[in-house]
Amino acid sequence: MSSSDPTVQPVPASVVEQVDAADVTLSNPKRAVISLGSNLGNRLETLQGAIDALEDTPGLRVKAVSPVYETDPWGVESGTQATYFNAVVLIKTTLPPSSLLERGHAIEEAFERVRDERWGPRTIDVDIVAYQDVVSDDPQLTLPHPRAHERAFVLVPWNDVDPQAEVPGRGTVAGLLAAVGQDGVRVRVDLELRLPE
C-alpha cells in the first residue's frame, strides 16, 4: 500500500463540512421543546428517566436539559398536592409531531401516569410545548402548547436553555416571562438532571 492511497489521506475540512451539511439535510431534524413535570414518587429520578427514554427514541436527540425547578401545583388548592419538579428539554427529531406525541404518552404510561382528574397529581407529565415554528389547532396536539405562554414553570426553564427562543405566534420567551413573572418557580441548585451521553 503506497502513501498515495486515498484511504489513508486526511479528509480535508471542507469535505467534512459538506458531509455534515448533507447529513443534516438528509435527516432534516426539527427543533422541539418538551416540558416535564412530576409530583409523585421520586420526582428527580422520574424526570431523569423520562429524559433518558426520550434519548433512547429512534430519530430523536436530546440537545439541552434545563435546571430543575420546584413549583406549586397548578389549578388546585394550596397544600392539597406535593410540589412539582419541572424541567424543559430541547430536542432535535425527525419524528413528526404526532409520533412525538405518541412517544410522550408511551413514556407517561411507562411511569404509570394516571389521568383520573384534570390537574391531578402525576408521576410524569410529558408535554410538547413547541415543534419548530408549527402553529396548529389540531385537537389531538395543539401547537404551540395552548397555555405555555402563560406558565412560568414552562417559560423559566425554557428561557434557561434557549434565551433567544420564541413561542410561535406569541412572542419571545423572555418577553412572555417578563409579563408573567417568576413567582412560585424556585430553582433547585441542589438537584441536577444529566444530558444523556
Side-chain angles (χ1 to χ4, degrees):
M1 196 186 290
S2 73
S3 62
S4 63
D5 182 341
T7 60
V8 297
Q9 296 295 317
V11 180
S14 61
V15 173
V16 173
E17 283 171 23
Q18 287 171 350
V19 170
D20 284 349
D23 181 53
V24 167
T25 311
L26 283 175
S27 53
N28 192 21
K30 303 286 191 278
R31 290 175 292 103
V33 181
I34 308 280
S35 172
L36 302 173
S38 173
N39 79 333
L40 287 177
N42 186 328
R43 297 166 294 174
L44 187 69
E45 197 174 275
T46 300
L47 290 182
Q48 187 64 58
I51 291 165
D52 294 343
L54 285 168
E55 178 68 21
D56 288 343
T57 305
L60 190 159
R61 284 289 157 267
V62 175
K63 304 308 276 183
V65 178
S66 77
V68 178
Y69 285 86
E70 188 167 12
T71 61
D72 297 322
W74 180 271
V76 297
E77 198 176 316
S78 180
T80 58
Q81 285 183 29
T83 56
Y84 273 85
F85 284 177
N86 293 98
V88 160
V89 181
L90 299 185
I91 64 168
K92 287 209 168 167
T93 185
T94 54
L95 297 176
S98 58
S99 298
L100 190 56
L101 180 65
E102 284 173 17
R103 182 60 178 154
H105 286 164
I107 292 169
E108 289 180 344
E109 282 173 26
F111 285 96
E112 301 177 355
R113 158 83 190 268
V114 177
R115 293 176 182 274
D116 282 345
E117 57 182 300
R118 189 171 192 199
W119 297 318
R122 56 207 57 178
T123 51
I124 187 72
D125 206 1
V126 180
D127 282 332
I128 302 169
V129 178
Y131 183 97
Q132 204 73 11
D133 300 317
V134 174
V135 176
S136 161
D137 57 5
D138 181 328
Q140 294 299 311
L141 177 60
T142 304
L143 289 169
H145 189 287
R147 291 171 297 283
H149 66 283
E150 57 193 30
R151 291 183 169 174
F153 66 82
V154 172
L155 297 171
V156 172
W158 187 358
N159 192 57
D160 280 340
V161 287
D162 190 359
Q164 311 305 313
E166 292 199 20
V167 181
R170 296 284 185 182
T172 65
V173 169
L176 292 164
L177 183 54
V180 170
Q182 299 189 31
D183 283 356
V185 181
R186 306 169 293 279
V187 68
R188 287 293 301 265
V189 292
D190 56 321
L191 303 176
E192 189 178 9
L193 293 165
R194 296 180 319 280
L195 194 62
E197 297 293 311

